[in-house]
């Protein structure tokens, strides 16, 4: 055999060697003698392994990849350690190239627009065809799926389920949306985001197989359909014991509803959201959500308003679905442990997750193996359930991050007092109901009525980002006196109604004695028509975007504060290298609301800032200039905004 001349060769040798030595856990779908794509351009042979020749080519969309025989993928196994090979890949086969490819699948420029997918097939019919092309049609039944729909809390519920079943000893796959920083967040294996090399392997394999079959009647799948297919591909290839799948939008016609035989289904709290797609009544929305029910497959639902519950029960009866309404989890069952996801509403999601997990264990024949004849969860939860509920993690939902950019936090023990007086409270609430929940959580957190932390362990660990690194430490309350200022950092999509969202948030906070000193309105960095990664460069036009929506938000805010319409000067200097202080004086932070003069276009309560990086810089400078101030920033209104803030803080 010729000497190995690159890390790609080493990768292949590692794959073949491990395949021969260890082949007990992995099975990859047969690809009908087609070639699948891996990144190599070498040919070699040994006495034990057939030769596999790689051929480099440009695919139809101009993304360069190379082929090897499908036998390689069929012999690979999931616990092979894939060596680093990114440096040897063609530039166009890099991770950023994959993001460009994904971006090309976006069929609408903004939320609310109709998708422009061509072809003669409907969405679910297309999905079935795509599954056949990928060789997955018969294999997804072996994933033993938990399928969850809902308006609020479905991501949290899925995350709780994953953590519970992982603690029970099962290999888990979790598919959620949207992602906040990197698309790989959507695909978790055993509680961890899929690695970049694994992602690329599965991504280009799916991409090239689907692209080879593109016709006028069968175009490439739009973004979410492709990501759903990729999730199913990953979970099949990684041989997970259970796949927890979160519905993307609605349920009945959602891409994930290609799943025909889940083990159990769940519906979380429903509310008025995505009305342009699901209908403008709660009953219509409930009909879409209940569309994931399958004949005779058990389903669980949390308490709903009667308008929604009547529809859900009617759908269940029509399909002979055993339906159970689940009560919120009783905190006494946690035996002293705390839910890792903050907010009282999480007890609703936790209760549903417990019921879904128990049903899954029972229907797969694992409950008695693990817990014997114990069937009643009324008195206490199994230890694995408590551990899962106390360690599950989901970014951007009731999450607290201490900014450490101005201070050194290299100590293993990190406290609020030593790690910054700029604290971000992040919650992607974007509906009236979730905005109310967000307001209650924020008020409670800033007043110290609950442990203000994002818990990774039962020791109440605090998440801190400093210089791009994640650090942990036991929280200690700062007893020194600080002047606390609560700031709202807000943006929402134009399909939302700020005249409903902002009053709901402000009134909820005010009822608990929390009042915002200022409101800052900023555009998000991320755009609806592009998929980016954690390493993606901040777009050059980030400082020159249209700010008309942000000024509209400011007008709604000022009207709410002053009780009358105000005119806002929309002329703003957007020089890219503008210093934050030149745009917004630091004195603005301390200016009394009584100084507000809308007639003179002087606002003491709010400001529009042309870019998110500029807003973060201004907040950091305010803290740096005054050590006695503590700024508590609520970031909400959009998961895109939350993700962008996390991306900036991580850097």
């Amino acid at each position: 055999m010729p000497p190995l001349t690159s890390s790609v060769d080493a990768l292949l040798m590692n794959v073949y060697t491990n395949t021969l030595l260890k082949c007990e856990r992995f099975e990859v779908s047969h690809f009908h003698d087609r070639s699948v794509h891996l990144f190599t351009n070498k040919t070699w042979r040994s006495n034990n392994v057939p030769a596999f020749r790689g051929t480099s080519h440009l695919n139809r969309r101009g993304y360069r990849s190379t082929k090897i025989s499908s036998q390689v993928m069929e012999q690979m196994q999931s616990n092979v350690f894939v060596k680093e090979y990114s440096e040897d890949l063609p530039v166009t086969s890099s991770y950023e190239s994959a993001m460009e490819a994904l971006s090309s699948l976006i069929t609408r420029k903004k939320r609310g627009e109709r998708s422009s997918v061509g072809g003669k097939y409907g969405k679910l019919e297309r999905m079935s065809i795509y599954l056949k092309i990928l060789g997955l049609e018969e294999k997804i039944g072996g994933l033993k799926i938990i399928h969850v729909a809902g308006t609020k809390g479905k991501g949290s519920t899925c995350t709780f389920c994953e953590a519970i079943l992982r603690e029970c000893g099962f290999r888990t796959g979790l598919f959620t949306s949207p992602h906040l920083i990197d698309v790989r967040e959507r695909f978790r294996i055993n509680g961890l985001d899929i690695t970049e090399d694994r992602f690329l392997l599965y991504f280009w394999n799916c991409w090239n197989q689907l692209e080879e079959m593109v016709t006028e009647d069968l175009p490439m799948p739009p973004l979410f359909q492709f990501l759903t297919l990729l999730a199913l591909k990953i979970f099949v290839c990684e041989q997970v014991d259970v796949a927890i799948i979160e519905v993307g939008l609605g349920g009945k016609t959602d891409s994930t509803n290609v799943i025909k035989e889940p083990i159990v289904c769940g519906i979380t709290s429903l509310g008025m959201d995505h009305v342009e797609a699901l209908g403008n009544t709660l009953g219509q929305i409930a009909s879409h959500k209940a569309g994931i029910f399958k004949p005779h497959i058990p389903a669980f639902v949390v308490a709903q308003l009667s308008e929604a519950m009547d529809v859900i029960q009617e759908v269940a009866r029509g399909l002979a679905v055993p339906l159970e309404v689940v009560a919120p989890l009783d905190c006494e069952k946690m035996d002293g442990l705390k839910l890792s996801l903050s907010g009282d509403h999480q007890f609703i999601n936790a209760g549903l997750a417990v019921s879904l997990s128990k049903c899954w264990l029972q229907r797969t024949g694992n409950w008695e193996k693990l817990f014997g004849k114990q069937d009643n969860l009324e008195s206490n939860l199994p230890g694995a359930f408590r551990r899962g509920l106390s360690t599950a993690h989901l970014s951007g939902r009731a999450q607290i991050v201490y900014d450490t950019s101005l201070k050194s936090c290299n100590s293993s023990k990190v406290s609020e007092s030593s790690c910054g007086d700029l604290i971000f409270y992040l919650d992607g609430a974007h509906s009236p109901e979730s905005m109310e929940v967000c307001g209650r959580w924020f008020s409670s957190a800033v007043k110290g009525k609950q442990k203000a932390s994002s818990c990774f362990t039962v020791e109440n660990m605090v998440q801190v980002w400093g210089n791009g690194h994640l650090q942990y430490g036991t929280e200690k309350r700062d007893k020194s006196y600080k002047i606390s200022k609560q700031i709202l950092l807000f943006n929402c999509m134009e399909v939302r109604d700020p005249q409903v969202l902002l009053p709901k948030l402000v009134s909820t906070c005010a009822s608990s004695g929390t009042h915002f000193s200022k409101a800052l309105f900023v555009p998000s960095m991320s755009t609806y028509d592009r998929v980016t990664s954690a390493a993606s460069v901040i777009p050059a036009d980030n400082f020159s975007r249209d700010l008309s929506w942000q000024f509209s938000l400011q007008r709604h805010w000022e009207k709410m504060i002053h009780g009358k319409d105000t005119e806002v000067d929309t002329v703003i200097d957007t020089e890219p290298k503008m210093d934050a202080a030149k745009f917004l004086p630091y004195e603005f932070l301390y200016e009394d609301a009584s100084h507000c003069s809308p007639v003179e276009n002087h606002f003491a309560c709010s400001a529009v800032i042309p870019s998110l990086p500029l807003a973060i810089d201004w907040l950091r400078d305010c803290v740096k200039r005054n050590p006695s101030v503590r700024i508590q920033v609520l970031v909400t209104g959009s998961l895109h905004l939350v993700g962008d803030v996390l991306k900036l803080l991580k850097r």
Side-chain angles (χ1 to χ4, degrees):
M1 182 176 68
L4 300 179
T5 57
S6 73
S7 62
V8 176
D9 292 42
L11 165 65
L12 289 176
M13 171 59 88
N14 188 57
V15 169
Y16 294 138
T17 302
N18 281 279
T19 299
L20 293 173
L21 293 176
K22 299 182 290 184
C23 58
E24 71 277 7
R25 268 197 63 85
F26 195 65
E27 177 186 357
V28 180
S29 57
H30 185 71
F31 296 108
H32 313 295
D33 295 324
R34 283 198 190 91
S35 294
V36 296
H37 298 70
L38 197 62
F39 308 107
T40 179
N41 54 8
K42 303 292 181 181
T43 303
W44 54 269
R45 182 187 300 272
S46 75
N47 292 330
N48 297 322
V49 183
F52 297 91
R53 181 175 300 275
T55 58
S56 176
H57 73 289
L58 285 173
N59 59 27
R60 297 184 187 183
R61 298 187 179 223
Y63 305 109
R64 182 176 297 279
S65 61
T66 54
K67 288 186 175 183
I68 62 173
S69 165
S70 61
Q71 290 171 274
V72 174
M73 284 290 287
E74 290 181 358
Q75 293 184 59
M76 284 181 63
Q77 56 161 13
S78 65
N79 58 356
V80 171
F81 175 71
V82 182
K83 295 185 177 180
E84 293 293 334
Y85 56 86
S86 58
E87 293 181 0
D88 291 86
L89 297 180
V91 173
T92 48
S93 290
S94 68
Y95 193 66
E96 286 303 312
S97 181
M99 298 304 100
E100 292 176 13
L102 279 176
S103 298
S104 73
L105 300 180
I106 298 175
T107 56
R108 49 186 181 175
K109 298 301 181 183
K110 60 171 63 174
R111 236 280 317 262
E113 288 185 356
R114 285 196 171 275
S115 178
S116 58
V117 181
K120 68 178 183 180
Y121 303 107
K123 181 194 291 186
L124 293 180
E125 191 176 5
R126 275 200 314 272
M127 286 293 291
S128 295
I129 296 172
Y130 294 142
L131 287 175
K132 291 179 182 177
I133 293 172
L134 296 174
L136 296 174
E137 187 179 33
E138 296 179 358
K139 294 183 177 293
I140 61 174
L143 289 177
K144 298 182 175 62
I145 291 170
I146 296 175
H147 200 190
V148 181
T151 304
K152 303 167 294 178
K154 57 183 184 292
S156 299
T157 299
C158 288
T159 302
F160 278 137
C161 286
E162 186 279 328
I164 289 171
L165 294 175
R166 177 161 39 85
E167 287 292 337
C168 287
F170 296 96
R171 181 171 174 80
T172 59
L174 174 64
F175 177 57
T176 58
S177 60
H179 63 273
L180 297 182
I181 299 177
D182 196 292
V183 71
R184 292 182 295 109
E185 298 167 23
R186 296 177 184 241
F187 316 96
R188 286 194 201 175
I189 303 295
N190 267 356
L192 299 175
D193 298 347
I194 189 170
T195 61
E196 188 171 307
D197 47 15
R198 282 273 177 210
F199 174 85
L200 287 172
L201 188 68
Y202 297 126
F203 173 85
W204 288 115
N205 172 244
C206 287
W207 177 277
N208 288 306
Q209 286 188 84
L210 292 171
E211 191 180 52
E212 286 178 359
M213 302 301 292
V214 164
T215 65
E216 186 175 340
D217 291 332
L218 186 70
M220 284 291 283
L223 179 63
F224 187 74
Q225 290 181 42
F226 182 89
L227 294 176
T228 301
L229 293 164
L230 181 57
L232 296 173
K233 169 71 174 179
I234 289 170
F235 297 155
V236 166
C237 291
E238 292 290 331
Q239 281 201 320
V240 299
D241 299 313
V242 55
I244 301 99
I245 306 292
E246 177 190 356
V247 167
L249 175 63
K252 185 184 302 180
T253 60
D254 185 69
S255 301
T256 64
N257 210 25
V258 73
I259 298 165
K260 300 302 181 187
E261 297 182 10
I263 299 298
V264 61
C265 297
I267 296 181
T268 64
S269 300
L270 301 186
M272 299 299 295
D273 196 15
H274 297 284
V275 294
E276 73 281 357
L278 305 180
N280 55 13
T281 70
L282 207 53
Q284 291 173 322
I285 291 173
S287 177
H288 275 277
K289 306 297 183 180
I292 67 170
F293 289 172
K294 303 299 184 295
H296 309 289
I297 301 294
F300 295 83
V301 60
V302 303
Q304 311 283 353
L305 293 176
S306 59
E307 182 183 356
M309 187 63 79
D310 290 346
V311 173
I312 293 171
Q313 291 175 333
E314 181 181 354
V315 173
R317 283 193 298 269
L319 295 171
V321 168
L323 180 67
E324 182 177 329
V325 180
V326 180
L329 179 70
D330 183 351
C331 63
E332 296 297 324
K333 295 182 182 179
M334 289 293 289
D335 197 24
L337 297 180
K338 303 293 184 183
L339 291 183
S340 58
L341 303 182
S342 299
D344 292 342
H345 61 290
Q346 292 296 355
F347 287 97
I348 298 175
N349 301 326
L352 179 58
V354 166
S355 293
L356 291 171
S357 299
K358 179 185 176 183
C359 182
W360 185 91
L361 289 167
Q362 290 174 327
R363 297 199 73 221
T364 56
N366 288 292
W367 179 266
E368 285 195 11
K369 294 178 184 177
L370 292 171
F371 308 115
K373 298 295 184 180
Q374 177 187 352
D375 187 56
N376 188 0
L377 297 181
E378 291 300 320
S379 57
N380 209 348
L381 291 175
F385 279 53
R386 297 196 302 272
R387 291 193 300 273
L389 293 170
S390 63
T391 58
H393 172 63
L394 186 63
S395 294
R397 283 79 164 178
Q399 179 183 9
I400 299 173
V401 177
Y402 299 95
D403 181 46
T404 63
S405 62
L406 304 178
K407 296 187 179 184
S408 174
C409 284
N410 296 322
S411 170
S412 60
K413 291 189 176 181
V414 178
S415 69
E416 180 179 341
S417 59
S418 66
C419 277
D421 300 307
L422 178 56
I423 310 167
F424 290 89
Y425 298 77
L426 303 143
D427 192 90
H430 51 266
S431 69
E433 297 86 356
S434 59
M435 201 61 73
E436 182 177 355
V437 169
C438 172
R440 288 200 300 268
W441 163 73
F442 177 67
S443 297
S444 180
V446 297
K447 290 180 175 298
K449 294 180 181 177
Q450 66 181 39
K451 295 288 186 179
S453 65
S454 284
C455 301
F456 281 73
T457 68
V458 296
E459 289 82 21
N460 187 31
M461 307 301 279
V462 177
Q463 180 179 357
V464 181
W465 263 312
N467 300 321
H469 299 284
L470 213 60
Q471 301 181 16
Y472 307 94
T474 303
E475 181 183 27
K476 295 180 180 178
R477 284 291 171 195
D478 178 23
K479 297 181 180 179
S480 61
Y481 178 75
K482 294 282 186 179
I483 301 172
S484 293
K485 297 280 187 179
Q486 285 81 48
I487 306 292
L488 174 64
L489 187 62
F490 188 89
N491 191 34
C492 67
M493 290 184 173
E494 294 183 34
V495 295
R496 311 289 183 194
D497 187 353
Q499 297 183 81
V500 174
L501 299 183
L502 289 173
K504 179 70 72 173
L505 174 66
V506 170
S507 62
T508 301
C509 289
S511 66
S512 300
T514 299
H515 303 276
F516 293 103
S517 300
K518 311 292 173 185
L520 305 178
F521 301 100
V522 296
S524 300
M525 295 190 306
S526 56
T527 59
Y528 199 78
D529 61 350
R530 181 165 177 78
V531 180
T532 59
S533 71
S536 296
V537 176
I538 296 175
D541 66 347
N542 194 58
F543 289 84
S544 56
R545 293 184 178 176
D546 179 15
L547 299 174
S548 57
W549 176 245
Q550 282 66 47
F551 282 114
S552 176
L553 294 174
Q554 185 185 27
R555 276 193 294 270
H556 291 308
W557 179 268
E558 293 295 332
K559 180 180 179 179
M560 181 176 61
I561 297 299
H562 299 288
K564 60 182 179 179
D565 288 323
T566 58
E567 291 297 325
V568 176
D569 185 1
T570 59
V571 178
I572 195 167
D573 184 1
T574 56
E575 173 62 35
K577 295 184 179 180
M578 183 196 304
D579 180 76
K582 292 180 180 178
F583 171 74
L584 191 64
Y586 300 118
E587 290 74 20
F588 171 76
L589 178 64
Y590 309 100
E591 192 172 5
D592 191 271
S594 62
H595 296 163
C596 193
S597 178
V599 176
E600 299 176 2
N601 209 60
H602 177 74
F603 299 99
C605 304
S606 65
V608 171
I609 299 184
S611 80
L612 184 57
L614 192 65
I616 300 296
D617 287 344
W618 184 81
L619 290 165
R620 285 171 168 168
D621 288 345
C622 285
V623 171
K624 186 176 181 180
R625 288 167 63 90
N626 187 353
S628 67
V629 70
R630 169 168 296 143
I631 300 179
Q632 298 166 310
V633 185
L634 174 61
V635 183
T636 192
S638 164
L639 276 168
H640 295 287
L641 178 64
V642 167
D644 289 341
V645 170
L646 285 172
K647 183 181 293 187
L648 287 173
L649 295 181
K650 191 172 183 180
R651 290 185 178 183

